[in-house]
Amino acid sequence: MATAPWWENAVVYQVYPRSFCDGNGDGTGDLAGLLARLPYLAGLGVDAIWICPWYPSPMADGGYDVADYLDIEPAYGTLHDADELSAAAHDCGLRVLIDIVPNHTSSRHNWFAAALRDEAGARDRYWFRAGRGPGGDAPPNDWASMFGGSAWTRVEDGLWYLHLFAPDQPDLNWQHPQVRSEFERILRFWFDRGVDGFRIDVAHGLEKDPELPDAGPRPAAGLLSITAHPAWDRDAVHEIYRAWRRVADEYTPGRVFVAECWVADNRRLARYLRPDELHTAFQFDLLKAPWRAAELRAVIDDAVAQAQAVGAPPTWVLSNHDTTRVVTRYARSQPDHPVEPHWERARWAAERADLDLGRRRARAAALLQLALPGTAYVYQGDELGLEEIENLPDNARQDPTWRQSGHADVGRDGCRIPLPWSAEHASFGFSPRGATAPPWLPQPAHWAALSVAAQTEDPHSVLALYRAALALRRIYWAGASGAIEWLETPSDTLAFRRGAAQCLVNFAPDSIDIPRGFRVVAASQPDVDRTLPTDAAVWLTPR
Ligand code: GLC
C-alpha cells in the first residue's frame, strides 16, 4: 500500500529567524542559533520547520524584501550555514521548508537598481507607468498598499512603480519571461541544496490585470479583507504554479509547496490545489474564527469538505508572524464580539485583554487543532503561550505598517518579539552571554516565567501540553481517517471522533460531563477527570 506523503498530516513549526535564537550575540536571530535549537524542535515533536525568508535583505519588511534569492542574509549566516542547517535538521528527522517571495523583490535587488537607472528593458520586469492628471502627478490608479497609503511611488524621472506592500517592495511583472525563468532557477537552486519545499508568499498576487484598472471603493487595506480586486487571485496565476509543480516533480521524492493565498473562500483556494498545481495552501478560517462552537464547527466542516473535494489535506493555522498572537485574540473574544485578527490592531487597543482567559482558550485550541486531520502549523512561541506585546515603545517599532499607516496601525512587531529561552540573561537566553547588542525588539520582563527553561520545569505549562499533545497525536490521530464524525453534545460544545479517539471541547460557561467508558489521554487543563470545565478540551479513548 502506498504511504501518504509526509506533509499530509505533518505538524510544521514556523521559524521567524530574526526572533528565534541569536547565536552570535548581535541581538538578531540567526542560523547558528537555529542550528543550536534543533534538538529543542525535534524534542517538541514537530515534523518539519518552515523558515521565513533568510535571504539578503535590507529588512524593510522583515526579510520579505529580498535583495538576492540565491544567498543568505549576512546577519543570519552563510550559504554554508544553510546547508549545514538543512543537513542537521534532516538528521533530527525534521523536514525543511523555506519561504519564497515571488510577488515583489526588494528595491535593492539588482533588477530594480537597473530599472531605476532605466537600463534598456529593465523596467519591463516591474510595473512602471505614467501618472494621471496634470503633469502625471497623480498615481496611475487608485490601488492601495496593504500597509497603507497608495500602492504607487514616483521615481525621479516622473514615472511611478507599483508596490502592493512597502515602497521598498516593487511588484514584479510576471508576464515577463525572464521573471518566470528566473524563479524556476531559484526553485531548483534550493531544491538542489536539499530543501524539502517552499511556502509561497502572497501566492494569489502575482498576476495583475494588465490594464491596471481602478479597484473602486473598497474596505480598508488588510490581508484579511480581500475581495475582488484587479491585483488578486486572477486566473492567469495558475499557469505559474503548473510550471512550478513540474519543477518540484523533477525531484525524488517530490518537493512540496504550501501557498499563502488570502482569497475569498475555500472554493477559490481549491483552485490552487488542483492535481497539477500546488500541494497545499494555508486555510486561514480557523485563525479568523471567534472562540465559539458553532463557528468553529462550520470552519472545520468547510475546510475538510473542500480539501477532500480537491484531494489535498486540510491545513490549520492558529497564528503566524502577521496576525495577533492567539492568546491575545482569544483574550478578547466575547460571544458578541467576533475575533478579527486584522492588521488594524489599533481598534482593539481600548479593550483590556484577559490573558489568563486567552491562554486557557489557546491551550484548548491547541488540542483542537492537533486532533484535526491534515497539516497543522505552529507559530514559534505559541507553544510557550506567548501573548501579543501591544505596548512596545513607538521608537522600537519596525513594521513598515506603522509608518505607512500614518501611525494608525501599530503593525505586527508585537507577535515577533524574540523568544525567551531561559530566565538567566538580559535577553532570556535569546542571545548568548556577553552579547554585544540587546534583542532587536524588547522583551517584556515577565517572559522569564514563560521561557522554555521555566516551562520545562512545570508539568502543567503550555510547553508541557504541546510536547505531550505532539507525541500523542502520532499515536491517536496521525493514522486516523481524514473524515470527522461529529458527536451529539450539549450546546456550545464540540465533540468529534476520528478513528478510535475523540476530541471534546467546552466553550460553554459551565462544566460538562465527560462520557462514561472513556479515558482522558490529554487535557488542556490539569486535573480533568469526570467533568470538563469551561474553555477546555480533552482527547478521549475508549477504556
Ligand atoms: C506576506 C507575509 C508578510 C509580508 C507580505 C509581503 O503576507 O506573510 O509578512 O509582509 O507577504 O511580502
Side-chain angles (χ1 to χ4, degrees):
M1 196 179 81
T3 50
W6 68 268
W7 39 267
E8 284 199 358
N9 55 34
V11 179
V12 182
Y13 184 96
Q14 180 188 352
V15 174
Y16 193 72
R18 206 179 182 187
S19 302
F20 185 72
C21 185
D22 168 20
N24 68 1
D26 65 356
T28 292
D30 50 35
L31 299 190
L34 176 52
L35 180 73
R37 300 294 181 180
L38 284 179
Y40 166 76
L41 296 174
L44 183 61
V46 297
D47 303 290
I49 54 176
W50 147 36
I51 306 172
C52 289
W54 60 3
Y55 312 101
S57 167
M59 295 285 158
D61 183 22
Y64 284 93
D65 46 324
V66 179
D68 178 356
Y69 292 82
L70 303 177
D71 206 345
I72 295 291
E73 161 59 32
Y76 293 166
T78 62
L79 263 183
H80 175 77
D81 297 334
D83 292 342
E84 193 188 356
L85 179 78
S86 297
H90 289 149
D91 288 347
C92 295
L94 296 170
R95 304 299 214 295
V96 178
L97 306 180
I98 62 172
D99 225 302
I100 191 161
V101 188
N103 181 66
H104 42 265
T105 67
S106 161
S107 52
R108 303 279 184 81
H109 190 282
N110 60 22
W111 276 1
F112 197 71
L116 287 181
R117 290 192 301 268
D118 203 10
E119 283 179 18
R123 291 191 171 178
D124 298 344
R125 300 192 195 102
Y126 295 92
W127 295 93
F128 277 80
R129 290 290 185 278
R132 295 202 283 206
D137 287 347
N141 69 21
D142 67 353
W143 295 4
S145 156
M146 300 299 286
F147 295 155
S150 170
W152 295 91
T153 288
R154 200 169 195 187
V155 297
E156 268 179 16
D157 58 27
L159 290 192
W160 299 73
Y161 68 87
L162 175 69
H163 54 85
L164 291 170
F165 295 88
D168 323 64
Q169 294 168 298
D171 278 55
L172 284 165
N173 171 11
W174 272 85
Q175 315 220 316
H176 196 297
Q178 279 177 15
V179 173
R180 292 183 183 240
S181 59
E182 179 63 7
F183 272 86
E184 290 177 27
R185 186 167 85 96
I186 294 164
L187 295 177
R188 288 196 182 90
F189 176 86
W190 292 105
F191 285 150
D192 288 343
R193 301 188 94 88
V195 310
D196 299 286
F198 283 94
R199 176 261 190 194
I200 307 170
D201 189 63
V202 198
H204 56 297
L206 276 47
E207 288 284 358
K208 283 85 181 163
D209 183 333
E211 302 297 320
L212 303 177
D214 278 343
R218 297 172 40 72
L223 282 184
L224 302 180
S225 57
I226 279 173
T227 50
H229 185 292
W232 303 127
D233 193 23
R234 293 175 54 76
D235 288 348
V237 81
H238 296 283
E239 197 44 55
I240 298 170
Y241 299 128
R242 291 195 185 100
W244 285 24
R245 178 61 177 258
R246 289 193 289 273
V247 175
D249 287 349
E250 287 166 14
Y251 292 81
T252 311
R255 308 300 161 87
V256 64
F257 293 114
V258 54
E260 183 212 26
C261 293
W262 296 93
V263 292
D265 55 36
N266 281 328
R267 274 142 291 276
R268 295 298 299 182
L269 194 65
R271 296 159 53 86
Y272 292 77
L273 302 172
R274 289 175 281 199
D276 59 346
E277 291 192 45
L278 304 174
H279 309 78
T280 66
F282 298 127
Q283 284 166 318
F284 289 121
D285 292 343
L286 186 67
L287 179 156
K288 291 188 270 182
W291 181 247
R292 275 201 301 255
E295 278 92 338
L296 286 167
R297 177 169 169 166
V299 160
I300 293 167
D301 277 340
D302 190 53
V304 170
Q306 287 304 315
Q308 280 178 347
V310 76
T315 57
W316 310 104
V317 182
L318 280 173
S319 74
N320 62 28
H321 66 293
D322 291 328
T323 55
T324 302
R325 283 229 183 241
V326 63
V327 164
T328 303
R329 293 206 318 271
Y330 290 154
R332 293 214 170 95
S333 162
Q334 302 306 322
D336 296 307
H337 185 167
V339 174
E340 288 177 35
H342 207 274
W343 287 18
E344 294 153 46
R345 290 169 162 98
R347 288 197 300 132
W348 290 6
E351 204 190 321
R352 205 183 62 81
D354 178 346
L355 293 180
D356 289 340
L357 174 68
R359 210 159 269 128
R360 185 183 174 91
R361 290 173 170 172
R363 294 173 67 110
L367 285 194
L368 172 62
Q369 180 197 24
L370 294 174
L372 292 169
T375 319
Y377 286 84
V378 177
Y379 175 48
Q380 71 179 35
D382 277 1
E383 84 280 20
L384 304 175
L386 301 184
E387 78 277 20
E388 185 87 2
I389 299 306
E390 298 176 290
N391 58 354
L392 280 175
D394 287 348
N395 63 6
R397 296 191 191 283
Q398 310 254 344
D399 185 351
T401 313
W402 170 241
R403 192 172 32 83
Q404 264 181 255
S405 69
H407 303 167
D409 181 344
V410 295
R412 302 159 294 175
D413 294 315
C415 63
R416 300 173 175 179
I417 308 293
L419 292 193
W421 291 93
S422 69
E424 291 168 28
H425 319 295
S427 64
F428 305 129
F430 170 69
S431 299
R433 266 172 227 265
T436 54
W440 70 280
L441 286 172
Q443 302 156 299
H446 71 271
W447 274 14
L450 295 180
S451 67
V452 171
Q455 296 204 35
T456 299
E457 301 291 304
D458 174 4
H460 299 312
S461 65
V462 183
L463 180 57
L465 175 70
Y466 265 89
R467 282 184 173 140
L470 287 164
L472 293 164
R473 173 183 160 98
R474 291 177 198 272
I475 300 170
Y476 294 109
W477 304 111
S481 141
I484 302 255
E485 187 189 338
W486 293 107
L487 306 168
E488 285 227 356
T489 49
S491 80
D492 215 17
T493 67
L494 287 182
F496 62 83
R497 176 162 41 217
R498 285 181 56 227
Q502 295 186 8
C503 177
L504 173 62
V505 192
N506 184 10
F507 304 82
D510 300 321
S511 295
I512 54 168
D513 290 336
I514 289 175
R516 289 187 178 282
F518 287 88
R519 192 165 64 88
V520 174
V521 293
S524 65
Q525 294 296 315
D527 305 326
V528 170
D529 185 18
R530 301 297 343 138
T531 61
L532 183 63
T534 181
D535 292 321
V538 279
W539 292 351
L540 306 171
T541 54
R543 278 188 193 278

mmCIF file of all heavy atoms in Angstrom, residues 61 64 101 104 147 165 169 199 201-202 223 260 321-322 412 416, ligand 1:
data_model
loop_
_atom_site.group_PDB
_atom_site.id
_atom_site.type_symbol
_atom_site.label_atom_id
_atom_site.label_comp_id
_atom_site.label_asym_id
_atom_site.label_seq_id
_atom_site.Cartn_x
_atom_site.Cartn_y
_atom_site.Cartn_z
ATOM 1 N N ASP A 61 10.869 44.963 5.339
ATOM 2 C CA ASP A 61 9.682 44.211 5.757
ATOM 3 C C ASP A 61 10.126 42.856 6.332
ATOM 4 O O ASP A 61 9.659 41.801 5.904
ATOM 5 C CB ASP A 61 8.712 44.032 4.574
ATOM 6 C CG ASP A 61 7.427 43.322 4.979
ATOM 7 O OD1 ASP A 61 7.093 43.347 6.181
ATOM 8 O OD2 ASP A 61 6.765 42.739 4.089
ATOM 9 N N TYR A 64 10.930 40.015 3.917
ATOM 10 C CA TYR A 64 10.042 39.818 2.770
ATOM 11 C C TYR A 64 10.355 40.832 1.665
ATOM 12 O O TYR A 64 9.581 41.014 0.736
ATOM 13 C CB TYR A 64 8.572 39.855 3.200
ATOM 14 C CG TYR A 64 8.183 38.564 3.896
ATOM 15 C CD1 TYR A 64 8.253 38.435 5.271
ATOM 16 C CD2 TYR A 64 7.798 37.446 3.157
ATOM 17 C CE1 TYR A 64 7.928 37.232 5.903
ATOM 18 C CE2 TYR A 64 7.473 36.245 3.773
ATOM 19 C CZ TYR A 64 7.542 36.143 5.137
ATOM 20 O OH TYR A 64 7.235 34.958 5.750
ATOM 21 N N VAL A 101 9.517 34.515 -2.136
ATOM 22 C CA VAL A 101 8.773 35.781 -2.205
ATOM 23 C C VAL A 101 8.743 36.227 -3.666
ATOM 24 O O VAL A 101 9.585 37.026 -4.100
ATOM 25 C CB VAL A 101 9.436 36.849 -1.304
ATOM 26 C CG1 VAL A 101 8.570 38.105 -1.213
ATOM 27 C CG2 VAL A 101 9.712 36.290 0.087
ATOM 28 N N HIS A 104 7.190 40.294 -5.301
ATOM 29 C CA HIS A 104 7.966 41.533 -5.358
ATOM 30 C C HIS A 104 9.398 41.209 -4.972
ATOM 31 O O HIS A 104 9.660 40.225 -4.285
ATOM 32 C CB HIS A 104 7.401 42.566 -4.384
ATOM 33 C CG HIS A 104 7.012 41.968 -3.060
ATOM 34 N ND1 HIS A 104 5.718 41.571 -2.780
ATOM 35 C CD2 HIS A 104 7.732 41.662 -1.958
ATOM 36 C CE1 HIS A 104 5.662 41.061 -1.564
ATOM 37 N NE2 HIS A 104 6.877 41.090 -1.037
ATOM 38 N N PHE A 147 -0.032 47.990 3.316
ATOM 39 C CA PHE A 147 0.484 48.575 4.557
ATOM 40 C C PHE A 147 -0.023 49.994 4.775
ATOM 41 O O PHE A 147 0.372 50.661 5.725
ATOM 42 C CB PHE A 147 2.027 48.596 4.528
ATOM 43 C CG PHE A 147 2.672 47.248 4.513
ATOM 44 C CD1 PHE A 147 3.942 47.083 3.976
ATOM 45 C CD2 PHE A 147 2.044 46.139 5.059
ATOM 46 C CE1 PHE A 147 4.568 45.839 3.966
ATOM 47 C CE2 PHE A 147 2.653 44.892 5.055
ATOM 48 C CZ PHE A 147 3.917 44.740 4.507
ATOM 49 N N PHE A 165 2.874 46.332 -1.376
ATOM 50 C CA PHE A 165 3.290 46.373 0.038
ATOM 51 C C PHE A 165 4.117 47.656 0.229
ATOM 52 O O PHE A 165 3.670 48.715 -0.180
ATOM 53 C CB PHE A 165 3.998 45.069 0.407
ATOM 54 C CG PHE A 165 3.052 43.884 0.320
ATOM 55 C CD1 PHE A 165 2.859 43.186 -0.869
ATOM 56 C CD2 PHE A 165 2.297 43.508 1.433
ATOM 57 C CE1 PHE A 165 1.953 42.138 -0.950
ATOM 58 C CE2 PHE A 165 1.385 42.468 1.352
ATOM 59 C CZ PHE A 165 1.222 41.774 0.161
ATOM 60 N N GLN A 169 9.344 47.363 -1.823
ATOM 61 C CA GLN A 169 8.985 46.039 -2.352
ATOM 62 C C GLN A 169 8.271 46.182 -3.701
ATOM 63 O O GLN A 169 7.066 45.923 -3.807
ATOM 64 C CB GLN A 169 8.078 45.314 -1.342
ATOM 65 C CG GLN A 169 8.771 44.971 -0.035
ATOM 66 C CD GLN A 169 7.789 44.535 1.032
ATOM 67 O OE1 GLN A 169 6.917 45.300 1.447
ATOM 68 N NE2 GLN A 169 7.906 43.303 1.499
ATOM 69 N N ARG A 199 7.196 27.611 1.105
ATOM 70 C CA ARG A 199 5.983 28.373 1.403
ATOM 71 C C ARG A 199 6.007 29.566 0.444
ATOM 72 O O ARG A 199 7.011 30.257 0.327
ATOM 73 C CB ARG A 199 6.006 28.798 2.863
ATOM 74 C CG ARG A 199 4.835 29.692 3.303
ATOM 75 C CD ARG A 199 5.250 31.142 3.313
ATOM 76 N NE ARG A 199 4.255 31.998 3.946
ATOM 77 C CZ ARG A 199 4.258 33.315 3.831
ATOM 78 N NH1 ARG A 199 5.208 33.924 3.143
ATOM 79 N NH2 ARG A 199 3.339 34.036 4.429
ATOM 80 N N ASP A 201 4.955 33.100 -0.695
ATOM 81 C CA ASP A 201 4.437 34.351 -0.155
ATOM 82 C C ASP A 201 3.483 35.016 -1.143
ATOM 83 O O ASP A 201 3.771 35.081 -2.339
ATOM 84 C CB ASP A 201 5.638 35.275 0.118
ATOM 85 C CG ASP A 201 5.255 36.522 0.868
ATOM 86 O OD1 ASP A 201 4.788 36.386 2.010
ATOM 87 O OD2 ASP A 201 5.427 37.630 0.338
ATOM 88 N N VAL A 202 2.345 35.491 -0.645
ATOM 89 C CA VAL A 202 1.365 36.232 -1.459
ATOM 90 C C VAL A 202 1.105 35.513 -2.790
ATOM 91 O O VAL A 202 1.125 36.123 -3.867
ATOM 92 C CB VAL A 202 1.821 37.689 -1.734
ATOM 93 C CG1 VAL A 202 0.653 38.555 -2.179
ATOM 94 C CG2 VAL A 202 2.444 38.338 -0.513
ATOM 95 N N LEU A 223 -4.825 42.090 4.819
ATOM 96 C CA LEU A 223 -4.843 40.795 4.163
ATOM 97 C C LEU A 223 -6.148 40.070 4.378
ATOM 98 O O LEU A 223 -6.552 39.243 3.583
ATOM 99 C CB LEU A 223 -3.714 39.926 4.723
ATOM 100 C CG LEU A 223 -2.324 40.231 4.206
ATOM 101 C CD1 LEU A 223 -1.346 39.248 4.775
ATOM 102 C CD2 LEU A 223 -2.298 40.160 2.695
ATOM 103 N N GLU A 260 0.543 30.741 0.504
ATOM 104 C CA GLU A 260 -0.161 31.758 1.286
ATOM 105 C C GLU A 260 -1.084 32.485 0.324
ATOM 106 O O GLU A 260 -0.640 33.303 -0.475
ATOM 107 C CB GLU A 260 0.816 32.758 1.916
ATOM 108 C CG GLU A 260 0.085 33.763 2.788
ATOM 109 C CD GLU A 260 0.713 35.163 2.841
ATOM 110 O OE1 GLU A 260 1.405 35.559 1.881
ATOM 111 O OE2 GLU A 260 0.488 35.853 3.832
ATOM 112 N N HIS A 321 3.302 35.105 11.788
ATOM 113 C CA HIS A 321 4.053 36.338 12.035
ATOM 114 C C HIS A 321 3.333 37.594 11.559
ATOM 115 O O HIS A 321 3.887 38.680 11.652
ATOM 116 C CB HIS A 321 5.414 36.221 11.331
ATOM 117 C CG HIS A 321 5.258 36.182 9.835
ATOM 118 N ND1 HIS A 321 4.646 35.123 9.189
ATOM 119 C CD2 HIS A 321 5.565 37.072 8.873
ATOM 120 C CE1 HIS A 321 4.604 35.371 7.895
ATOM 121 N NE2 HIS A 321 5.164 36.548 7.675
ATOM 122 N N ASP A 322 2.139 37.442 10.986
ATOM 123 C CA ASP A 322 1.375 38.600 10.502
ATOM 124 C C ASP A 322 0.167 38.908 11.371
ATOM 125 O O ASP A 322 -0.453 39.963 11.200
ATOM 126 C CB ASP A 322 0.858 38.330 9.081
ATOM 127 C CG ASP A 322 1.957 38.276 8.048
ATOM 128 O OD1 ASP A 322 2.963 38.990 8.208
ATOM 129 O OD2 ASP A 322 1.803 37.509 7.078
ATOM 130 N N ARG A 412 2.850 44.619 13.141
ATOM 131 C CA ARG A 412 2.979 43.212 13.531
ATOM 132 C C ARG A 412 4.177 42.918 14.420
ATOM 133 O O ARG A 412 4.487 41.764 14.677
ATOM 134 C CB ARG A 412 3.061 42.364 12.236
ATOM 135 C CG ARG A 412 1.865 42.552 11.331
ATOM 136 C CD ARG A 412 2.172 42.154 9.897
ATOM 137 N NE ARG A 412 3.155 43.054 9.299
ATOM 138 C CZ ARG A 412 3.684 42.897 8.090
ATOM 139 N NH1 ARG A 412 3.339 41.864 7.355
ATOM 140 N NH2 ARG A 412 4.572 43.751 7.632
ATOM 141 N N ARG A 416 6.265 39.325 17.015
ATOM 142 C CA ARG A 416 7.597 38.956 16.512
ATOM 143 C C ARG A 416 8.685 39.196 17.548
ATOM 144 O O ARG A 416 9.860 39.333 17.204
ATOM 145 C CB ARG A 416 7.906 39.771 15.253
ATOM 146 C CG ARG A 416 6.901 39.540 14.134
ATOM 147 C CD ARG A 416 7.129 40.483 12.973
ATOM 148 N NE ARG A 416 6.216 40.159 11.872
ATOM 149 C CZ ARG A 416 6.160 40.815 10.729
ATOM 150 N NH1 ARG A 416 6.966 41.849 10.527
ATOM 151 N NH2 ARG A 416 5.312 40.457 9.792
HETATM 152 C C1 GLC B 1 3.079 38.011 3.346
HETATM 153 C C2 GLC B 1 3.986 37.859 4.546
HETATM 154 C C3 GLC B 1 4.094 39.189 5.220
HETATM 155 C C4 GLC B 1 4.692 40.175 4.257
HETATM 156 C C5 GLC B 1 3.888 40.239 2.965
HETATM 157 C C6 GLC B 1 4.662 40.920 1.880
HETATM 158 O O1 GLC B 1 1.785 38.283 3.696
HETATM 159 O O2 GLC B 1 3.499 36.854 5.374
HETATM 160 O O3 GLC B 1 4.865 39.117 6.385
HETATM 161 O O4 GLC B 1 4.714 41.450 4.832
HETATM 162 O O5 GLC B 1 3.595 38.965 2.474
HETATM 163 O O6 GLC B 1 5.722 40.110 1.457
#
